[in-house]
Amino acid sequence: MKKVAIIMGSDSDLPVVQKAVDVLRDFGVPFEVRVLSAHRTPDEAQQFAKSARENGFGVIIAAAGMAAHLAGAFAAHSTLPVIGIPVKSSTLDGVDALLSTIQMPTGMPVATVAINGAANAALLSVEILSVYEKELEEKLRAYREAGTNKVLEKDKEVREKFSC
């Protein structure tokens, strides 16, 4: 099975990234977590992106706040799918990171999840990998079914509590 690379621009992004780690662990998807900056370690980030496919990766998740050029930098140097996680910062509540991540030029696509949306980034990675991994597709179906059942159970509880 292909691995997922989880790259963060700073270790301060780790509390957000942890949610992606948890989801990938739950699905049994192999991953690596790195701190690489588009601005402070551009050579290392570029080398990682260029060699990611040969090193067994199938998807790259890039989490960054503020200017958030990390996902775009990885997309520029890899043909693997890149998923950007805009990370909420103290100055503009993550809107700056969101806009930096979604506003990619034609030819450099980056899938973008919600601000601090690491769990969805991991789930999207699982969906991408499930195209070739039947076992992941089955796990996704079970995950969604469990989510449906949880909502239906809550609906039942609410209806019982508020029925006339």
Side-chain angles (χ1 to χ4, degrees):
M1 179 183 304
K2 296 287 186 181
K3 300 180 286 186
V4 174
I6 303 174
I7 313 297
M8 60 190 126
S10 167
D11 68 343
S12 65
D13 301 328
L14 190 54
V16 171
V17 165
Q18 183 65 50
K19 293 173 184 156
V21 168
D22 294 342
V23 169
L24 293 174
R25 279 190 178 137
D26 287 347
F27 278 89
V29 174
F31 61 89
E32 288 184 25
V33 181
R34 299 284 306 270
V35 177
L36 295 170
S37 169
H39 302 106
R40 294 181 296 267
T41 60
D43 295 338
E44 291 83 356
Q46 178 183 25
Q47 182 56 37
F48 186 96
K50 284 184 173 184
S51 62
R53 186 180 297 272
E54 297 84 50
N55 288 328
F57 293 96
V59 179
I60 298 170
I61 296 174
M66 303 180 84
H69 294 114
L70 191 61
F74 273 79
H77 296 290
S78 179
T79 57
L80 291 174
V82 176
I83 303 167
I85 305 170
V87 176
K88 183 177 180 178
S89 63
S90 61
T91 50
L92 296 173
D93 288 332
V95 174
D96 50 345
L98 175 65
L99 295 175
S100 296
T101 306
I102 64 173
Q103 293 290 56
M104 294 300 299
T106 300
M108 291 296 136
V110 169
T112 307
V113 295
I115 296 168
N116 288 357
N120 270 352
L123 287 166
L124 182 54
S125 296
V126 172
E127 288 178 346
I128 291 167
L129 295 177
S130 78
V131 170
Y132 302 103
E133 299 286 340
K134 183 73 173 164
E135 174 187 336
L136 287 179
E137 180 187 7
E138 292 166 6
K139 288 180 179 182
L140 277 167
R141 287 185 193 281
Y143 173 85
R144 289 190 177 177
E145 185 176 330
T148 297
N149 292 338
K150 185 175 181 180
V151 170
L152 292 175
E153 183 60 36
K154 294 295 181 184
D155 176 57
K156 179 182 175 187
E157 291 172 14
V158 167
R159 285 186 291 133
E160 289 173 358
K161 182 176 180 177
F162 294 103
S163 64
C164 296

